[in-house]
Amino acid sequence: MDKPVEHITFTNESGGHRGRYIEHCDVEEKKNKGENEAHHAFNLLKKYNATDKIEAILVDNTAKNTGRLNGLHPNLERLLQRPIHLITCMLHINELPLRHLFVELDGKSKTPGKYSGPIGKAIENSVWNDEPVTFKSISVSQDFVNLNSSDKKDLSNDQKLLYAYCLAISSGEVPDDVKGKKPGPVFHARWLTTAIRVMILYTRTNNPSPELMLLTEFIVKSYTFFWFRIRQLDNFTKAPQILHEMVHILNDFPDVVKDIVVPVIKRNSFCLYPDNFLASLLFSTVREHRQKAVDVIIDCRRSPKQPGEKLRNGANFIQTVRTQALPKIDFGAA
């Protein structure tokens, strides 16, 4: 019997070569996944003479990548014998709350393409072939991105359909040119298509259940809004701002949603690591933010501290060396 393997793809994510494929490898699954994958990444860097050049890695928010002790990131730092910047995927952060909310409200999936609850079972059917019913509109934020025809050319069919159904539910009517369009298949790794199918089901359901109503509201007001917001801003220095907006919108949802989503956000707030937050301030459009970042950098260079020791001179919100502990978030301050 063949042993299970992890498929790892390496791409260049800087400058004019952003998104360019480098190579891939199949890694045999072992107990210490992060350490194992770090060795493969290190060997790749040596192959391309980049061990002294790499400044950051961009990864999904899985424990094997981000684990504070045994993840790919800390293990790669040990091999390089220096710190490197950890950037995590905001689209993945946006997906995780929906995934957990769906599971809690409707039930876990039995297989990658099969769900156990009534909503999950219903979205496996061709509900888009049914005629839309009269449904209650759910308003999207007035800051929702406005895509023109040129913007839409860069989107896949499913991404266009996500956008179209969000606007349809916000308006209270599904346009004729959207009604019969088929979304991609249900799959555990593709929550975008699950979100589309939930919205389609909502527009075809008389007297939707509280669970379907809540899921649809979250998809319209949070998931879809931030999916396009992240694509619009498209820079890791904007991640703390996006996370703040997520928390702000989350405060408008009932406690049943907050109880599920808040722990997920807390576990994945890597964009608030001190170096990430400092980069966000440094590239801010607000002069006072940039000045604060410069002051912190100057203070660090003048008086280097021991790991964990906080800065003086009014900059005690950031530390000289990341301790790998996720920062605490005040969800009531958004």
Side-chain angles (χ1 to χ4, degrees):
M1 183 176 179
D2 294 335
K3 294 182 179 180
V5 296
E6 290 275 352
H7 303 287
I8 306 177
T9 300
F10 297 94
T11 60
N12 189 329
E13 294 298 331
S14 64
H17 301 299
R18 184 177 180 186
R20 179 179 293 180
Y21 167 83
I22 300 176
E23 64 178 63
H24 71 277
C25 63
D26 291 339
V27 181
E28 182 181 326
E29 285 194 0
K30 296 181 179 180
K31 185 176 181 180
N32 298 321
K33 293 182 179 180
E35 181 180 358
N36 192 26
E37 294 186 5
H39 279 282
H40 281 79
F42 184 66
N43 290 334
L44 179 84
L45 293 172
K46 289 196 295 184
K47 177 180 177 180
Y48 288 92
N49 298 316
T51 54
D52 294 330
K53 300 174 183 176
I54 185 170
E55 297 177 357
I57 57 170
L58 171 62
V59 295
D60 280 344
N61 296 37
T62 54
K64 67 179 180 181
N65 289 331
T66 60
R68 59 181 298 186
L69 298 176
N70 297 312
L72 182 153
H73 176 244
N75 275 292
L76 186 56
E77 285 189 334
R78 294 183 192 113
L79 292 170
L80 292 169
Q81 296 185 356
R82 63 181 177 87
I84 54 174
H85 204 77
L86 174 64
I87 304 172
T88 53
C89 178
M90 286 302 295
L91 287 173
H92 193 213
I93 294 174
N94 186 45
E95 178 182 274
L96 292 172
L98 173 60
R99 179 186 300 183
H100 284 265
L101 189 63
F102 191 101
V103 168
E104 291 296 328
L105 295 180
D106 193 60
K108 297 181 179 180
S109 59
K110 295 180 178 178
T111 65
K114 299 288 184 181
Y115 293 101
S116 59
I119 297 174
K121 290 179 179 178
I123 63 175
E124 294 172 6
N125 301 321
S126 303
V127 289
W128 56 87
N129 289 329
D130 298 335
E131 192 66 21
V133 300
T134 300
F135 58 87
K136 180 181 178 181
S137 65
I138 301 173
S139 298
V140 70
S141 169
Q142 61 181 5
D143 296 324
F144 188 54
V145 61
N146 183 22
L147 298 180
N148 56 39
S149 56
S150 177
D151 296 328
K152 293 179 182 178
K153 288 181 180 179
D154 296 330
L155 300 177
S156 69
N157 289 334
D158 280 333
Q159 291 163 0
K160 292 175 184 176
L161 201 54
L162 180 74
Y163 183 78
Y165 264 99
C166 183
L167 292 181
I169 292 176
S170 183
S171 69
E173 184 177 357
V174 181
D176 290 337
D177 62 344
V178 175
K179 288 180 182 178
K181 288 188 176 180
K182 179 182 177 180
V186 173
F187 193 68
H188 185 66
R190 297 195 66 201
W191 283 84
L192 184 141
T193 56
T194 296
I196 298 169
R197 285 170 175 256
V198 170
M199 288 194 288
I200 294 175
L201 177 64
Y202 175 75
T203 63
R204 269 72 172 179
T205 303
N206 287 305
N207 301 318
S209 66
E211 291 79 13
L212 177 56
M213 189 78 191
L214 203 54
L215 267 177
T216 305
E217 183 179 2
F218 187 82
I219 290 169
V220 170
K221 292 185 175 181
S222 182
Y223 174 80
T224 306
F225 175 83
F226 285 110
W227 196 96
F228 288 98
R229 181 79 167 138
I230 291 165
R231 281 183 61 96
Q232 179 189 39
L233 296 178
D234 193 28
N235 193 303
F236 83 94
T237 63
K238 302 296 183 183
Q241 173 187 337
I242 293 172
L243 192 70
H244 178 267
E245 293 172 0
M246 284 183 175
V247 172
H248 180 74
I249 286 182
L250 181 61
N251 284 334
D252 293 333
F253 282 92
D255 288 343
V256 64
V257 174
K258 294 178 189 176
D259 291 344
I260 297 168
V261 174
V262 165
V264 178
I265 293 178
K266 285 182 176 179
R267 292 195 302 268
N268 292 278
S269 56
F270 301 99
C271 65
L272 298 184
Y273 270 163
D275 48 358
N276 283 326
F277 194 77
L278 187 61
S280 178
L281 292 176
L282 196 59
F283 287 90
S284 171
T285 57
V286 180
R287 186 182 184 281
E288 289 78 7
H289 294 172
R290 299 195 301 273
Q291 186 61 57
K292 189 70 171 180
V294 171
D295 291 343
V296 170
I297 292 171
I298 291 174
D299 194 44
C300 285
R301 291 177 175 176
R302 284 177 176 171
S303 53
K305 308 293 190 299
Q306 294 299 315
E309 186 180 348
K310 296 187 177 181
L311 299 177
R312 299 186 297 272
N313 303 328
N316 61 357
F317 62 94
I318 196 164
Q319 295 177 326
T320 55
V321 178
R322 182 174 59 239
T323 62
Q324 289 289 58
L326 287 168
K328 294 181 180 180
I329 303 174
D330 183 356
F331 283 82

